[in-house]
Amino acid sequence: MKTIKKIYDCCCKLEVAVCGVGFILLVTLVFASAILRFLRISMSWNIDLAMLLLAWTAFLGADVAWRSGQLIGIDLVTRYFPKALQKAVLVVVYLIILVVCVVICIYGCRLAWSERLRTYQSMPIPYSLVSLSLVVATFSMSISTALKIKDCFVKKEESK
């Protein structure tokens, strides 16, 4: 079990690193493209690569934010519920999120497969790499959500 935990922790660190590097490259490419456009030098691959980086950075960043609890949560109504009901509602919400992530992951795989032959106009890179960002992110979010559900039950058992 410790080996799986180490692999998961390494994957989480890799995800954060990919997000950071992707964001820096994204900003650099967009800035360079603007400067080059001002100098009347056209490099169309800059924008295509920036869009690819945006997809990967945004989707992986969503999982990083989800895992660390940085996404917006609204508890205006549920904060007045008893603790047991709060946990029940939380588990139901997590289960809904898990189902949605699994469905998006499955259909994202289908989309990536159907787009495997389509390439960018300016680069010989398959367009399915954009769809794969969604698959990887929702798969990772599914694991994060399953761990959040597990934590709800572990904490419930510990408080008894």
Side-chain angles (χ1 to χ4, degrees):
M1 202 55 133
K2 288 186 179 186
T3 307
I4 295 173
K5 178 74 171 145
K6 284 182 182 181
I7 292 170
Y8 178 72
D9 289 340
C10 286
C11 288
C12 291
K13 289 177 184 176
L14 178 66
E15 196 173 45
V16 171
V18 167
C19 282
V21 170
F23 183 72
I24 290 169
L25 287 174
L26 172 65
V27 170
T28 304
L29 281 172
V30 171
F31 183 72
S33 180
I35 297 294
L36 291 172
R37 193 176 310 122
F38 179 74
L39 298 173
R40 304 210 190 282
I41 300 171
S42 177
M43 296 184 79
S44 61
W45 61 269
N46 274 4
I47 298 302
D48 286 342
L49 188 57
M51 286 192 300
L52 177 68
L53 288 170
L54 177 65
W56 278 92
T57 304
F59 289 132
L60 290 179
D63 180 49
V64 171
W66 174 242
R67 190 174 44 249
S68 63
Q70 299 298 318
L71 289 180
I72 296 174
I74 300 174
D75 65 346
L76 189 62
V77 175
T78 59
R79 77 173 77 156
Y80 299 111
F81 291 171
K83 292 289 183 190
L85 186 57
Q86 284 180 6
K87 283 195 177 195
V89 169
L90 187 62
V91 169
V92 168
V93 169
Y94 285 163
L95 286 172
I96 292 169
I97 290 170
L98 181 62
V99 168
V100 168
C101 284
V102 168
V103 168
I104 291 172
C105 188
I106 290 168
Y107 282 99
C109 286
R110 290 182 181 178
L111 180 64
W113 180 255
S114 68
E115 291 183 340
R116 70 189 184 283
L117 300 176
R118 180 179 165 204
T119 60
Y120 280 95
Q121 292 178 355
S122 61
M123 300 180 298
I125 296 173
Y127 199 76
S128 63
L129 285 178
V130 174
S131 303
L132 282 176
S133 67
L134 181 64
V135 172
V136 170
T138 54
F139 179 76
S140 186
M141 286 179 91
S142 298
I143 294 171
S144 300
T145 305
L147 290 173
K148 285 178 179 273
I149 292 169
K150 183 191 123 226
D151 288 346
C152 284
F153 289 114
V154 169
K155 288 178 183 176
K156 186 181 275 189
E157 290 172 3
E158 289 175 358
S159 65
K160 286 183 179 180

